[in-house]
Amino acid sequence: MKGFLNLIFRVSRFLNIIAGITLTFMMFLTVSDVILRFLRRPIVGTYELVAFSGAVVIGFALPFTSWLRGHIFVDFFISRFSRTLRNIFYIFTRVLVIWLFLMIGWNLFLYGRDLYKSGEVSLTLQMPFYPVAYGVGVCCFIQCLVLFCDILKIIGGAYE
């Protein structure tokens, strides 16, 4: 079990590194575009690149953020429950969210397939949309594995 947890941790951390690199790229691109616009030489396609990059940053950072529980977590009501009832609640919510992310990932793959078949590309740079849809879809499936790891940690008593 520890090997599986370690694997999912490393995969989600790798995706987070990709998200960080992409975010850095977005920052440099935006700053460069602002400076070059001042000099009347804007970077063509900046809007498209920032939009694609934003999707990558959000999707690829999600599993590691969830692993670290870096998201907003409101538990003032749940904290009053007994430990057993809290664990049941946590497992139930994780199962629901796994189902949600399975559906999102599956639909992103279907959407990516449709984008690939139609050959849809961005207007300025003619970049295809489907790789972003597939990439975020994969991240949704990794998110499911992170949530499954949460369930394993809850059952094993190592969640808190």
Side-chain angles (χ1 to χ4, degrees):
M1 182 169 93
K2 285 191 183 229
F4 177 72
L5 292 174
N6 191 29
L7 173 68
I8 300 304
F9 173 78
R10 287 194 327 251
V11 168
S12 63
R13 187 177 61 192
F14 175 72
L15 293 174
N16 193 57
I17 290 169
I18 293 172
I21 291 169
T22 306
L23 182 60
T24 304
F25 166 74
M26 281 176 56
M27 290 180 347
F28 282 124
L29 179 66
T30 303
V31 170
S32 300
D33 187 51
V34 168
I35 291 169
L36 290 173
R37 278 183 191 275
F38 180 73
L39 301 173
R40 307 270 190 238
R41 299 264 187 210
I43 299 172
V44 177
T46 299
Y47 181 78
E48 293 172 359
L49 290 171
V50 169
F52 282 133
S53 298
V56 169
V57 168
I58 292 169
F60 282 55
L62 186 65
F64 193 65
T65 303
S66 183
W67 183 279
L68 296 178
R69 290 189 280 164
H71 52 282
I72 296 174
F73 190 71
V74 181
D75 66 343
F76 63 90
F77 181 69
I78 303 303
S79 64
R80 297 177 187 251
F81 293 162
S82 69
R83 185 171 181 82
T84 304
L85 196 55
R86 257 185 296 167
N87 287 345
I88 291 169
F89 179 79
Y90 289 153
I91 290 172
F92 178 72
T93 55
R94 295 313 181 275
V95 168
L96 287 177
V97 176
I98 287 172
W99 178 81
L100 174 70
F101 276 100
L102 279 173
M103 294 297 103
I104 293 170
W106 176 253
N107 282 296
L108 279 169
F109 265 78
L110 294 177
Y111 184 58
R113 185 191 65 196
D114 291 344
L115 289 171
Y116 177 76
K117 285 182 179 178
S118 69
E120 191 166 342
V121 294
S122 63
L123 292 174
T124 306
L125 298 176
Q126 300 295 304
M127 290 177 55
F129 288 113
Y130 73 90
V132 176
Y134 284 142
V136 175
V138 167
C139 291
C140 288
F141 294 133
I142 301 298
Q143 174 68 12
C144 292
L145 293 173
V146 168
L147 293 166
F148 179 72
C149 289
D150 275 355
I151 292 173
L152 292 177
K153 287 188 264 182
I154 291 167
I155 292 170
Y159 183 69
E160 301 289 334

